[in-house]
Amino acid sequence: MVHDIGKTIMIIGLALFAVGAVVHFGGRFLPLGRLPGDFAWQGKNWSIHFPLASSIVVSVVLTVPANLFFRR
């Protein structure tokens, strides 16, 4: 039982590391937040960003492997 919990924590840690690396280094290669369909409004003292297209892309990219991995 404890062995399974340790393995799960290590897998979650590796997944968080991978996501962090993509977020940190991916800004140079992936235009997330700047795709057509990502909305941004700016005023004098305010700004609103609504990354609709980026959210859809991230959702598809994460859903496809999850469905392949967890399919029974």
Side-chain angles (χ1 to χ4, degrees), residues 17-57:
F17 178 79
V19 169
V22 168
V23 168
H24 181 71
F25 297 113
R28 298 179 191 160
F29 308 110
L30 302 172
L32 292 178
R34 296 182 307 270
L35 293 174
D38 291 340
F39 303 103
W41 296 279
Q42 294 182 347
K44 185 175 180 181
N45 294 321
W46 57 273
S47 64
I48 297 174
H49 299 277
F50 186 69
L52 180 65
S54 294
S55 298
I56 293 171
V57 168

Side-chain angles (χ1 to χ4, degrees), residues 3 5-6 9-11 17 21 32 36-37 39-40 43 47-48 52-53 55 58 61 63-65:
H3 176 70
I5 293 172
I9 291 172
M10 287 191 303
I11 290 171
F17 178 79
L32 292 178
F39 303 103
S47 64
I48 297 174
L52 180 65
S55 298
V58 169
V61 167
T63 300
V64 171

